[in-house]
């Protein structure tokens, strides 16, 4: 059983953190519908990774989908089902987190979604796996950070409170925890490329349906929104998610989640240096 991060998986998670830290700034910069951005990054990711995967991993594709009595071989069916669930959780995370990043500050959105280790630890407990001390330490840090962040933001206006309400509903954090937990279960039986393509496929279809249901155009963007979408594709979608999926094949989701806490300060730093957006500061005792 995987119980800790090794050097390779730790490096992969750090790459994930750096790539993920651009998600909220790029989403805020795009000023485009979050559902459309989520659909676009997944669709382009699928078009980019899919053909290369089919060529490079064609033996695995044939092995998985060549069962005599069903579409999927029995020994691979469990991994595919977990992959389908992970893709749905990923769509839920995008729909909530990317919307929240546009309704409140970058620091607030990533800070509140950083409560993910809380839910990751609870999922691990439900699975009968006791989180390590490092995981519980990360849990305490994330809870404290979320409380400080939400307290600082409540007084900054209705728009910020709306973003907090979305994030405090915990949908984004819970969905990301579900994604990592499901991916952890799927990855021992399938390769990183196959799991990534499966998740991208499910997420693309579900985000497209969400766009159609809500009346959001999935492909109409301004010029700078297209630049932001390209950044979302290259950094968090391909580099970030691929690195995360790789790490989840070697390390437990609870340990990975602790390192993902670094995303919040990194995203705030990116927003400050690039967009000039400072994290909200609560008023002091002498403020009017």
């Amino acid at each position: 059983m995987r119980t800790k991060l090794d050097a390779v998986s730790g490096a992969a998670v750090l790459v994930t953190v750096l790539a993920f830290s651009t998600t909220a700034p790029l989403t805020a910069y795009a000023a485009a519908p979050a559902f459309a951005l989520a659909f676009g990054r997944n669709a382009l990711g699928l078009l980019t990774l899919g053909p290369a995967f089919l060529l490079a991993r064609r033996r695995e594709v044939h092995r998985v989908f060549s069962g005599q009595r069903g579409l999927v071989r029995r020994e691979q069916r469990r991994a595919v089902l977990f992959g389908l669930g992970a893709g749905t959780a990923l769509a839920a995370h995008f729909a909530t987190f990317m919307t929240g990043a546009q309704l409140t500050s970058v620091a607030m959105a990533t800070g509140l979604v950083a409560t993910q280790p809380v839910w990751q630890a609870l999922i691990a407990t439900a699975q009968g796996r006791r989180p390590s001390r490092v995981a519980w330490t990360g849990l305490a840090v994330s809870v404290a950070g979320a409380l400080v962040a939400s307290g600082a933001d409540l007084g900054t206006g209705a728009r910020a409170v709306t973003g907090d309400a979305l994030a405090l509903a915990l949908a984004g954090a819970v969905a990301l925890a579900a994604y990592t937990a499901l991916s952890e279960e799927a990855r021992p039986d399938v390769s990183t490329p196959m799991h990534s393509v499966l998740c991208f496929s499910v997420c693309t279809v579900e985000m497209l349906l969400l766009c159609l249901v809500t009346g959001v155009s999935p492909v109409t963007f301004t010029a700078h929104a297209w630049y932001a979408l390209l950044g979302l594709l290259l950094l968090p979608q391909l580099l970030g998610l691929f690195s995360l999926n790789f790490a989840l094949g070697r390390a437990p989701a609870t340990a990975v989640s602790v390192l993902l806490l670094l995303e919040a300060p990194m995203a705030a730093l990116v927003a400050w240096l690039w967009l000039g957006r400072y994290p909200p500061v609560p008023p002091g005792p002498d403020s009017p």
Side-chain angles (χ1 to χ4, degrees):
M1 180 183 294
R2 297 162 296 173
T3 59
K4 61 182 180 179
L5 288 165
D6 58 21
V8 175
S9 56
V13 178
L14 290 178
V15 171
T16 300
V17 168
L18 293 174
F20 277 10
S21 65
T22 64
T23 302
L26 285 168
T27 302
Y29 171 77
F35 291 172
L37 289 173
F39 164 74
R41 61 181 281 187
N42 278 274
L44 292 175
L46 182 60
L47 291 175
T48 302
L49 185 61
F53 163 69
L54 291 175
L55 289 175
R57 308 293 300 188
R58 55 185 179 274
R59 290 184 178 179
E60 181 182 11
V61 175
H62 176 73
R63 184 174 69 251
V64 172
F65 293 99
S66 61
Q68 296 180 353
R69 297 186 178 182
L71 179 64
V72 182
R73 290 173 63 90
R74 178 176 301 175
E75 60 268 24
Q76 300 290 343
R77 187 172 298 141
R78 177 178 178 274
V80 172
L81 290 176
F82 276 120
L84 293 174
T88 297
L90 187 63
H93 172 68
F94 284 152
T96 53
F97 173 59
M98 294 181 71
T99 301
Q102 294 180 330
L103 294 176
T104 187
S105 68
V106 169
M108 192 59 49
T110 53
L112 290 171
V113 173
T115 59
Q116 178 222 349
V118 178
W119 309 104
Q120 205 75 66
L122 292 175
I123 291 174
T125 301
Q127 293 174 326
R129 290 180 288 178
R130 183 179 180 180
S132 66
R133 292 181 179 179
V134 173
W136 284 117
T137 300
L139 171 63
V141 171
S142 67
V143 171
L147 290 175
V148 171
S150 60
D153 201 36
L154 290 176
T156 59
R159 183 175 176 81
V161 173
T162 300
D164 282 356
L166 179 65
L168 286 173
L170 304 177
V174 172
L176 184 57
Y179 174 78
T180 54
L182 291 166
S183 296
E184 180 188 19
E185 293 293 332
R187 278 289 289 109
D189 299 315
V190 292
S191 67
T192 300
M194 181 167 185
H195 181 68
S196 299
V197 168
L198 180 59
C199 291
F200 290 3
S201 301
V202 173
C203 192
T204 297
V205 172
E206 293 180 350
M207 291 310 306
L208 177 59
L209 292 175
L210 194 55
C211 285
L212 296 177
V213 169
T214 57
V216 172
S217 174
V219 294
T220 303
F221 299 113
T222 61
H224 72 276
W226 278 109
Y227 293 138
L229 185 60
L230 179 61
L232 288 169
L233 167 66
L234 296 177
L235 294 172
Q237 188 70 28
L238 293 181
L239 182 60
L241 282 173
F242 196 86
S243 297
L244 177 61
N245 291 337
F246 172 81
L248 289 170
R250 302 173 60 99
T254 48
V256 170
S257 296
V258 173
L259 281 183
L260 289 180
L261 286 170
L262 296 173
E263 179 189 351
M266 285 298 301
L269 180 62
V270 171
W272 174 36
L273 296 176
W274 179 34
L275 303 177
R277 299 188 179 185
Y278 297 85
V281 179
D286 298 329
S287 301

